[in-house]
Amino acid sequence: MTDADRNPGNVETAEDVDTRVSYVVQPEQWHDRLAARLSILYLLAMLVLLSSVLYQIWSGDPKLLKNITGIDLASSGKMTLFRLMAYTAIGGALGAVANGIRSIIYWHLEKQGFGGRFIWKYLSLPPLGALLAVMVYATIRAGIGSIGGNATPTEGGAQPMWAFAFGALSGYGSHKVFVWLDDKVKKLFEVPEKSEEKGVKVPDVKGKTQAEAEAALQDAGLACGKIDTTLSTDPKMEGKVVEQTPAAGSSLAPKGAVAIKIGKGKGV
């Protein structure tokens, strides 16, 4: 249940632009305003840091990245793939930063309904955006390689710009990326149903005439098997099904046969 579901109808609601879920706009308290300011300062600091790393990689002298990761891209000619992944990760982090700043402007400055607990969302946005961008980039490159037979990246050209743009879009639309990844994971790791689970549920044909029972079984995708008669002590069951095999509710393979017994009186 969202905040809007508990809304008595006399307070303002706002829709989250990412999830399309409506929330009740509650007035900010001092700790909410403090959390909003800390979040925006953090995102702005990440914006400056990531932009500096990006500029250094583009200029061919990524000292800051070396200090952070210990990897020297400038001295290695065999780091093409890592360089493209770095572009993708930085793009994803910057896209997430942009999305976070837009969200804070909307909830804090426009709606004045920022919730202090959401500070953890904004703290995790840059690394989460970078991770999602790399995951999606690797997934798509693997798909291109399996189809086209060649996923080897090349140095220069438009690939770095493409990787950065792709990462930025992935980070900015992180919520939609989660939905996309969930769908891919479900399809990739879908467990096929066991053959017996695909059986047909046997209908209850007791009390029906032979013609009615045959029609019911046919409608269920089954067949009427052996038909016998048996003595019935209940006059109302004469000429009707008194027993069936398999029993109603059990599972049977499609077009499987169900044997029935028709009740008969003593004088029949």
Side-chain angles (χ1 to χ4, degrees):
M1 180 182 293
T2 64
D3 292 342
D5 296 326
R6 296 185 289 268
N7 182 17
N10 57 352
V11 294
E12 180 186 0
T13 61
E15 183 181 82
D16 187 273
V17 295
D18 291 325
T19 62
R20 299 301 180 187
V21 175
S22 295
Y23 295 91
V24 173
V25 178
Q26 300 179 350
E28 292 179 345
Q29 304 298 321
W30 69 267
H31 51 82
D32 297 320
R33 292 189 289 272
L34 176 61
R37 292 165 185 170
L38 290 175
S39 298
I40 194 69
L41 288 175
Y42 165 76
L43 291 177
L44 289 175
M46 292 299 299
L47 177 62
V48 173
L49 175 64
L50 293 168
S51 298
S52 300
V53 173
L54 181 63
Y55 173 76
Q56 290 186 7
I57 295 178
W58 264 329
S59 64
D61 187 22
K63 294 180 180 179
L64 187 56
L65 184 63
K66 179 182 178 181
N67 294 333
I68 296 175
T69 64
I71 299 175
D72 187 4
L73 293 181
S75 62
S76 176
K78 299 180 180 180
M79 299 300 291
T80 303
L81 178 59
F82 184 84
R83 189 184 297 271
L84 290 177
M85 297 297 277
Y87 282 128
T88 305
I90 294 173
L94 284 173
V97 167
N99 186 28
I101 293 175
R102 175 200 54 77
S103 178
I104 294 176
I105 290 175
Y106 176 73
W107 287 107
H108 176 55
L109 298 182
E110 296 181 10
K111 296 298 181 180
Q112 297 182 353
F114 187 90
R117 66 186 185 277
F118 292 113
I119 187 175
W120 303 108
K121 168 187 174 182
Y122 298 102
L123 291 177
S124 64
L125 274 179
L128 182 61
L131 178 61
L132 286 176
V134 170
M135 289 175 62
V136 177
Y137 181 82
T139 301
I140 292 180
R141 286 209 68 92
I144 293 174
S146 63
I147 296 174
N150 181 19
T152 304
T154 58
E155 188 68 44
Q159 284 206 42
M161 184 64 70
W162 184 90
F164 172 76
F166 179 85
L169 292 175
S170 298
Y172 188 85
S174 56
H175 177 73
K176 294 180 176 60
V177 172
F178 270 122
V179 175
W180 182 82
L181 284 175
D182 286 341
D183 179 67
K184 296 304 176 186
V185 169
K186 288 178 182 178
K187 290 181 179 179
L188 183 61
F189 297 104
E190 184 178 6
V191 180
E193 296 180 359
K194 297 180 180 179
S195 57
E196 57 266 26
E197 294 177 349
K198 296 182 179 180
V200 178
K201 185 177 180 181
V202 177
D204 187 2
V205 295
K206 288 184 180 180
K208 299 181 181 294
T209 64
Q210 179 178 335
E212 291 173 342
E214 290 176 347
L217 293 172
Q218 184 177 4
D219 291 341
L222 300 172
C224 186
K226 185 178 180 181
I227 302 175
D228 288 328
T229 57
T230 185
L231 184 64
S232 175
T233 58
D234 185 356
K236 294 182 180 180
M237 294 300 292
E238 293 182 10
K240 298 181 179 179
V241 178
V242 294
E243 293 183 26
Q244 68 177 87
T245 306
S250 57
S251 182
L252 196 62
K255 298 183 180 180
V258 177
I260 60 175
K261 290 185 178 181
I262 308 296
K264 68 174 182 178
K266 295 181 179 180
V268 180

